Amino acid sequence: MDRPTPPSYSEGVKKYIDRANQALAARGRDIARARKFRFDTIAVHGLYTATEAIEKNQGAIIEPVFASSGQAYRDSDEMEAAQSGLIPTWAYIRIQSPTLGYLEDTLSLLEGYGLDAEVGCCVYSSGMAAIENLTDTLLVKQGNDPINFVATCQIYGGTYQQFNVRKMQERGIEVRWVLDSNNLDEWRSLIDKNTRFLYGELPSNPGLSFFDLKKPIDLAHEHGLPFIADSTIATPALLRPLCHGADVVVQSVTKTMSSSGTGAAGAIIARKPIVSNVNNDGMKADLCRYLHEYPHRDQGGCLHPFQALSSMNDLRTLRTRVDVWCQSTMKVARFLAKHPAVMHVNYLGLEDNPLHELATEYLWLVDAEHDERYGKPVNRYGHLLSFRVKGGPAAARKVFDRLQLIMRVTDLGRVKSIATIPSISTHLQQGEESRKMAHIPPDLVRLSVGAEHPDDIIADLEQALAAAKGF
Ligand SMILES: *Cc1c(COP(=O)(O)O)cnc(C)c1O
């Protein structure tokens, strides 16, 4: 760690350290209390309590937005303690901000729901900023050997470009793509002593691939490496990779978590400690704290407090809306699967999907057993599907162009249903070769089902598909 360790602190600085220790103990009690709540309660409240509202925030029931770039200190002792990392502080917005802290508390609790371990979080201005800051922090050279990392090739287009172009082509850090993420021997064959982490996205965007998460996690740990899961498509309402042993979770908070779509946000959520072969004990002990204090401070992809509030407001209803959207998506998938103009529907919820059984092992609506409507565990398969229209790319574009209610957008997870053609949008830049490797054909239409009544979504698809007749 690059934290300075002066030989001794003045009495004034010690006073602030004592005060901070008391505050940390109280926070520990709040965390222990919050962890006893059910998922919905945590999503609504996070760690923001009535006591805090009344004593610090004029009684405001909603977490206040502190729209301020910096934090004033009482005196030089407090400033020294804060800047030396001896007491929790928000200091300056690239290090921390109290409103971002509320969002981080909620995300830590939700991703760590059901996990008996400590969890930390660091939020970012976008999912890509989160992925970059995390992976750069782990991609440390030790000695002269070139370093590498292993990742599933069925992955979000932006992540593919970041790994393939920004890291490998421009900086010589090798990404070793796993072509079949369910082939453990393939994962194993790509690891060597210069590997820094294993990375997987599930379900993947847009291919909806899925893999047996526990297996590469165990493999990573056998090699002393961390496993990172991009769990954006599932959200903690359906899957919590940390509970299956993953070290770190990546979230594009922009997407389903912030469904009203007012802006971008990203998050890294990690266990304490994580496994890693990087010689940095502080980083391994508390990755997210380390990110806050050093890499995030130095690289600066910080989230705006207004967006943190917007994301928190959307998160409060995460479980119930994911549940409803998943059910609508199932209806839409069944409709499409029967439609004569549709060649193929890719949805993990359909029984004939080759990954259906595997997804069924992992994708559970959180707390369904405590929900009166169900009273037992219930599978849900997400609100993202893709389909191919008969007649090739021209027919797919014709159908796509006729959509009226469903908007044509390169986005997902919105309260409004939206569709895209990945080969000409999200996955355009990476080129045909790699799209083939990731199974993204040019006639694939990706649909993100929102909160409209499913009958209206289906009616829009039906009138659009009428255009495909004749192909
Ligand atoms: C969108 C997305 C990202 C990138 O997140 P941004 O917030 O858009 O930067 C990463 N992973 C997945 C799976 C995504 O869908």
Side-chain angles (χ1 to χ4, degrees):
M1 283 254 249
D2 40 356
R3 177 178 300 153
T5 45
S8 67
Y9 299 112
S10 69
E11 285 309 308
V13 169
K14 280 194 198 134
K15 183 185 81 189
Y16 284 111
I17 296 174
D18 288 346
R19 199 186 274 184
N21 285 339
Q22 283 169 22
L24 281 173
R27 182 180 154 80
R29 289 191 292 275
D30 285 345
I31 293 173
R33 175 174 163 267
R35 286 173 68 148
K36 295 199 182 107
F37 290 130
R38 300 252 194 258
F39 191 90
D40 285 340
T41 311
I42 293 170
V44 170
H45 289 274
L47 274 191
Y48 187 64
T49 59
T51 311
E52 183 176 349
I54 291 158
E55 289 180 2
K56 294 194 180 155
N57 297 315
Q58 319 268 0
I61 59 170
I62 296 299
E63 297 83 345
V65 175
F66 291 100
S68 174
S69 50
Q71 175 183 18
Y73 295 113
R74 288 174 181 81
D75 54 26
S76 57
D77 288 334
E78 189 180 24
M79 178 177 268
E80 185 185 350
Q83 297 291 323
S84 311
L86 300 168
I87 61 173
T89 181
W90 53 285
Y92 182 61
I93 195 156
R94 272 192 284 107
I95 300 172
Q96 181 57 293
S97 150
T99 307
L100 307 192
Y102 294 132
L103 175 60
E104 286 167 346
D105 290 340
T106 301
L107 291 172
S108 306
L109 289 164
L110 295 182
E111 286 290 352
Y113 188 70
L115 176 73
D116 193 17
E118 272 197 76
V119 174
C121 176
C122 185
V123 292
Y124 292 85
S125 54
S126 71
M128 294 319 302
I131 296 169
E132 180 176 42
N133 204 233
L134 166 72
T135 53
D136 285 357
T137 299
L138 293 168
L139 289 168
V140 176
K141 242 180 131 169
Q142 294 172 161
N144 292 324
D145 289 350
I147 54 175
N148 68 75
F149 62 103
V150 175
T152 53
C153 74
Q154 287 188 292
I155 207 164
Y156 172 65
T159 313
Y160 184 90
Q161 291 297 104
Q162 190 187 106
F163 288 178
N164 204 50
V165 181
R166 305 278 93 79
K167 292 194 197 308
M168 184 151 76
Q169 290 172 21
E170 295 180 352
R171 287 180 178 71
I173 298 168
E174 189 188 356
V175 49
R176 297 181 173 174
W177 296 115
V178 178
L179 302 185
D180 175 3
S181 53
N182 275 307
N183 181 347
L184 201 65
D185 290 335
E186 193 190 338
W187 285 93
R188 188 179 289 115
S189 71
L190 298 172
I191 301 172
D192 65 24
K193 68 179 190 344
N194 295 310
T195 303
R196 289 287 177 264
F197 58 82
L198 271 50
Y199 188 105
E201 183 178 307
L202 81 167
S204 71
N205 169 14
L208 297 168
S209 78
F210 204 89
F211 57 88
D212 196 348
L213 181 60
K214 284 185 202 127
K215 290 187 176 156
I217 289 175
D218 288 345
L219 182 72
H221 292 166
E222 276 167 33
H223 289 82
L225 299 173
F227 191 91
I228 304 167
D230 182 336
S231 189
T232 299
I233 304 303
T235 83
L238 301 183
L239 176 70
R240 290 171 304 291
L242 298 181
C243 297
H244 296 288
D247 298 83
V248 188
V249 168
V250 168
Q251 282 289 351
S252 168
V253 179
T254 315
K255 307 286 171 55
T256 311
M257 284 184 166
S258 305
S259 58
S260 56
T262 56
I268 297 302
I269 303 108
R271 282 169 176 273
K272 303 180 204 176
I274 65 157
V275 179
S276 165
N277 61 7
V278 175
N279 298 325
N280 184 337
D281 291 339
M283 183 274 284
K284 284 187 273 198
D286 189 345
L287 173 70
C288 289
R289 177 172 176 183
Y290 181 81
L291 290 170
H292 272 289
E293 289 184 357
Y294 306 106
H296 181 262
R297 175 197 67 184
D298 299 340
Q299 290 183 331
C302 51
L303 185 63
H304 195 283
F306 288 142
Q307 180 56 43
L309 177 69
S310 181
S311 294
M312 270 188 286
N313 281 340
D314 283 335
L315 273 170
R316 299 187 212 278
T317 52
L318 183 71
R319 190 187 74 93
T320 39
R321 71 185 156 77
V322 164
D323 182 19
V324 173
W325 299 7
C326 290
Q327 293 181 63
S328 297
T329 312
M330 188 64 121
K331 276 190 193 157
V332 172
R334 290 203 198 288
F335 160 79
L336 288 170
K338 282 199 312 261
H339 199 285
V342 173
M343 184 167 75
H344 181 248
V345 181
N346 187 1
Y347 183 56
L348 290 169
L350 294 177
E351 291 78 4
D352 62 355
N353 186 308
L355 295 168
H356 175 73
E357 241 174 80
L358 188 59
T360 300
E361 277 178 44
Y362 283 95
L363 297 176
W364 297 95
L365 176 68
V366 66
D367 280 347
E369 62 276 29
H370 304 297
D371 185 326
E372 265 184 20
R373 280 165 296 181
Y374 308 121
K376 61 177 194 330
V378 164
N379 285 115
R380 290 285 179 258
Y381 299 92
H383 60 88
L384 195 67
L385 64 77
S386 57
F387 62 96
R388 299 174 72 179
V389 177
K390 282 181 193 159
R397 285 174 86 132
K398 204 164 177 182
V399 171
F400 182 69
D401 289 344
R402 280 194 37 153
L403 293 169
Q404 289 172 4
L405 177 72
I406 301 167
M407 295 194 204
R408 287 167 286 276
V409 198
T410 58
D411 197 353
L412 63 89
R414 294 292 147 250
V415 67
K416 299 182 179 185
S417 291
I418 51 184
T420 189
I421 298 181
S423 67
I424 55 165
S425 59
T426 49
H427 294 67
L428 172 70
Q429 281 185 15
Q430 70 189 59
E432 200 171 330
E433 191 96 330
S434 85
R435 279 197 297 273
K436 254 190 206 143
M437 177 170 88
H439 313 292
I440 304 166
D443 56 359
L444 187 79
V445 179
R446 186 187 77 186
L447 176 65
S448 169
V449 174
E452 302 93 342
H453 195 286
D455 292 351
D456 293 324
I457 301 168
I458 288 171
D460 193 33
L461 288 164
E462 186 149 43
Q463 65 78 25
L465 282 163
K469 281 205 186 107
F471 281 95

